[in-house]
Amino acid sequence: MNDRKQSEAVFVIFGSTGDLAKRKLFPSLYNLYLKGSLTEKFAVIGLGRREWDDEKLKTVVREAITEAGQQMDREEQIDSFLAHFSYLSFDVTNKHSYEELKEEMESKEERFHLSGNRVFYMAMAPEFFGQIAQSIHSHGLKETNGWTRLVIEKPFGTDLQTAKVLNNEIREAFAEDEIYRIDHYLGKEMVQNIQVIRFANAMFAPLWNNRHISNIQVTSSEKLGVEGRGGYYEKSGALRDMVQNHILQMVSLLAMDVPLQLTTDEIRSEKIKVLRALRLIDQQNVNDTVVRAQYDEGTINRTEVPGYIQEENVDPNSNTETYVAAKLMIDNHVWAGVPFYIRTGKRMAVKSTKVVVEFKEMPLNLYAKEHKATGPNLLIIHIQPDEGITIVLNGKKIGSADTTPVHLEYRHDSEDRINTPEAYERLLYDCIMGDATNFAHWDEVSLSWSLVDAISNAWKETDQKPLTYKAGTMGPKEADKLLAIDGHSWWPVEHM
């Protein structure tokens, strides 16, 4: 299909009065419009419980564009963009709301000469996802000459069982190839670059296996705490909030085998094979392979901050983890024996998402034998807040026979970063183009929940309270022991 024809669509945003729509969706749609990825043939229908009207929504969208720093004296373009927006006060349980929505979509398709393509975006409470999907189908909102797609935000369920129920409800209304389960990490520039680094470089592709790699470390740390979201976090915790989706998605990209082609189905197939090969974690080995902890009082940016159990809407006896570290093993011929160490947490020393690939040292290193300072070669993939790659080699110190680590770095310069599509912008464009490569397939979701549920159940059975770590540190010392037993240590991402 012609790209311009493909991009002609009505975007229906459930939850358009919420924070996600304002911070991410509206600015991303505007960027696509500025770049011409959205032509004049599109419409956005915002839905919400609030008694707004078209003008109120347009005011909020204008504010969102301005706050995102995208105005830049483009008043005429912004006005043109806003002309495509309308609002409906919406009750997801009321059939008349869906009838009004159908009329509004048909009206917009006629006004903007659209071909019937429709995107339904769930930017609201997940407990309504299944009901909305079925109501879209039962009230004829999918009856169109174009395509229909359903975009779903996380969390996709709270465990495997609830995820299965939700998936069954949605699949009664939408086919799997119409469902786009969004994980914004998969839209990040350097996450997408993992495949390019691996498969397009002769210096890495043949070395990407257990013969040459010692271990791989994935760190995603935040300096922020729960920031008033204690009620949500009590039901989630770091394991469900980060490991089930973002972290395991990165692990699957790092460990997947070379796909036959760079197509959605082939890439997804290889990622699914990795998730199937993850070694089971149960009550017998959970304490040896997983560390969970809560942040205690500490100092961030020279400011005293409370511990997790002192946060608003948090049970003072809570066992919810704000930090998880784990040793994951992938039992296949490529990765047997190579640990994948993961860690994620709140109120840590730095905000950083990085991948460190540590290569095995040479079996006969003459410089090491002569007691000179040598270390392993590293590939560091910087995902956020900075983006780029660093290769660490051994080199000779100037004026000395000793060796020293040499850092070969590539970081996107400031102009590149300004022009880099924000993750949501890229994923929205992929959705309207029908490219589901960077969205999670149901098999990926179910397999990741299987691992997470196994860990959660093991924690319940052992009945041990989480460890604590001081806010402003990189986690509890037990997480260091997790690597030390294998002769490894965490690479200090705050200094890389």
Side-chain angles (χ1 to χ4, degrees), residues 1-46:
M1 183 183 292
N2 180 276
D3 281 0
R4 299 186 75 81
K5 190 79 171 177
Q6 177 84 343
S7 66
E8 298 174 8
V10 173
F11 297 84
V12 179
I13 301 177
F14 292 84
S16 64
T17 61
D19 187 55
L20 174 65
K22 184 174 183 179
R23 289 190 305 108
K24 300 296 185 181
L25 304 185
F26 298 150
S28 295
L29 287 169
Y30 180 64
N31 257 359
L32 292 173
Y33 179 72
L34 283 184
K35 295 175 180 178
S37 299
L38 283 182
T39 67
E40 292 296 331
K41 291 188 174 184
F42 80 97
V44 179
I45 303 173

Side-chain angles (χ1 to χ4, degrees), residues 123-141:
M124 60 183 303
E127 58 261 31
F128 296 111
F129 288 174
Q131 181 180 0
I132 293 172
Q134 293 186 349
S135 295
I136 287 171
H137 182 266
S138 63
H139 289 92
L141 275 63

